[in-house]
Amino acid sequence: MMFRAVLCVLALGMTSAFQAPARSASGWTRTTPLKSMAVDTQQGQQVFGANRPGAPGPDADSTILVQGGSLRTWSYRSPLVEQVQVVLSTEGRPLDADIELWHGPDNTPCKMRVYVENGQLRPFSAVIDTPRGPNTVAIRNIGQLEFPFAANVYANDVEDPSPDCAAASATIQGGALRTYPFDTMVDSVEVLLKTDGRPLNARIELLQGPNNNKQVIELYTEDGFDRPFFCILETPGSGNVVRIVNTAPVEFPMTAGVVPHSINQDTGDGLVLGGDVVIGGDLGW
């Protein structure tokens, strides 16, 4: 008897588990909802669309932490991707990186060396042209293990130089340099370098004070017309000067355009000329 009772209980449980669909006026309906399979296996959360890790676009989820001495690559097989934007930042520590564009075996049409004193105050942001895919962007952290940085490479919503930047282009002969001082109100600066089809070799420096390099970019481009260089330099504080050096011989001139990108109109509010300044000793003299 006990065995028969156990069998009856099991049978009733199995029949209740498989409920028939409910019938409504319009037809049959499902009683149990369907579960989505878009689940992040690392965090156990559902991710959809642009919030999915690795999705294209400037999302926080696509940022990768590059440890010191390691290499990360971003490959784009579609020939429709003609530009990518590279953004590097730290939590306040120095940033030292090598960035290369690989186009085919043993072909590096663009490469640069980047140094930033403070990657949080002055993050690196540059646009690399990638015509005729497939292309691969390789970023190597050449700093020590104690200096990681966050890297993000995306092909959507890439920033383009302003018309003022293209119109302000001036020729810099090989071996020559040109400086561009900026006011305190300028928060960021656009830099556009290109040639007439010859190779491009240049060094971009952001100075704040005498010989005080806050950011340095050493650039090589195989064809400055097909692959021009465009970047945005953050210039917080006062006394910022952008220095462009054409490191190529005199046979390889280039054109450079450097204009303000964003201006903070509230920088000078609340300042009083000569206020709270005591010259020559105590206030009662």
Side-chain angles (χ1 to χ4, degrees):
M1 293 294 295
M2 184 64 66
F3 180 72
R4 291 182 179 179
V6 172
L7 290 179
C8 291
V9 170
L10 292 176
L12 290 175
M14 293 178 62
T15 54
S16 62
F18 298 96
Q19 295 180 358
R23 185 184 182 107
S24 61
S26 58
W28 295 98
T29 60
R30 186 180 181 91
T31 57
T32 57
L34 291 173
K35 295 183 179 180
S36 175
M37 298 302 294
V39 178
D40 187 358
T41 58
Q42 296 180 353
Q43 299 180 358
Q45 299 177 355
Q46 293 184 0
V47 287
F48 303 94
N51 296 326
R52 186 178 69 256
D59 299 319
D61 293 337
S62 60
T63 302
I64 297 178
L65 185 65
V66 183
Q67 299 290 342
S70 61
L71 172 68
R72 294 292 183 270
T73 59
W74 287 258
S75 298
Y76 298 91
R77 298 183 179 275
S78 174
L80 300 179
V81 178
E82 297 182 350
Q83 284 182 327
V84 296
Q85 186 156 357
V86 179
V87 179
L88 307 180
S89 62
T90 66
E91 55 181 9
R93 302 182 182 185
L95 188 153
D96 203 356
D98 271 340
I99 303 174
E100 295 182 350
L101 176 65
W102 298 343
H103 187 202
D106 298 330
N107 183 21
T108 307
C110 179
K111 57 183 177 180
M112 65 190 77
R113 167 80 179 270
V114 179
Y115 167 78
V116 182
E117 183 185 65
N118 188 335
Q120 184 179 26
L121 189 61
R122 298 177 182 86
F124 172 78
S125 177
V127 176
I128 300 177
D129 284 74
T130 58
R132 300 177 298 278
N135 292 275
T136 299
V137 177
I139 300 178
R140 183 186 300 273
N141 187 346
I142 58 178
Q144 298 179 0
L145 186 63
E146 296 83 7
F147 301 101
F149 61 75
N152 192 1
V153 181
Y154 53 89
N156 295 336
D157 300 329
V158 176
E159 294 182 285
D160 295 324
S162 62
D164 296 337
C165 186
S169 297
T171 302
I172 301 178
Q173 299 294 337
L177 63 88
R178 183 171 298 222
T179 58
Y180 302 85
F182 289 95
D183 193 73
T184 308
M185 295 187 299
V186 178
D187 286 341
S188 60
V189 173
E190 297 182 12
V191 178
L192 176 62
L193 304 180
K194 59 184 179 180
T195 65
D196 57 356
R198 307 180 191 186
L200 173 61
N201 289 272
R203 185 171 70 250
I204 306 170
E205 300 177 356
L206 175 61
L207 307 174
Q208 193 173 25
N211 295 326
N212 187 9
N213 289 326
K214 299 296 183 180
Q215 185 169 348
V216 180
I217 303 172
E218 296 181 356
L219 171 68
Y220 165 76
T221 299
E222 180 181 66
D223 188 340
F225 181 80
D226 195 23
R227 304 175 188 271
F229 176 76
F230 174 69
C231 69
I232 297 177
L233 304 178
E234 300 294 331
T235 58
S238 60
N240 291 287
V241 177
V242 177
R243 180 164 61 186
I244 309 294
V245 183
N246 189 347
T247 57
V250 70
E251 297 85 5
F252 299 94
M254 70 177 184
T255 58
V258 183
V259 296
H261 177 69
S262 61
I263 298 176
N264 187 6
Q265 301 290 346
D266 300 331
T267 303
D269 293 350
L271 298 180
V272 179
L273 183 62
D276 299 331
V277 177
V278 179
I279 301 177
D282 296 335
L283 185 61
W285 286 30

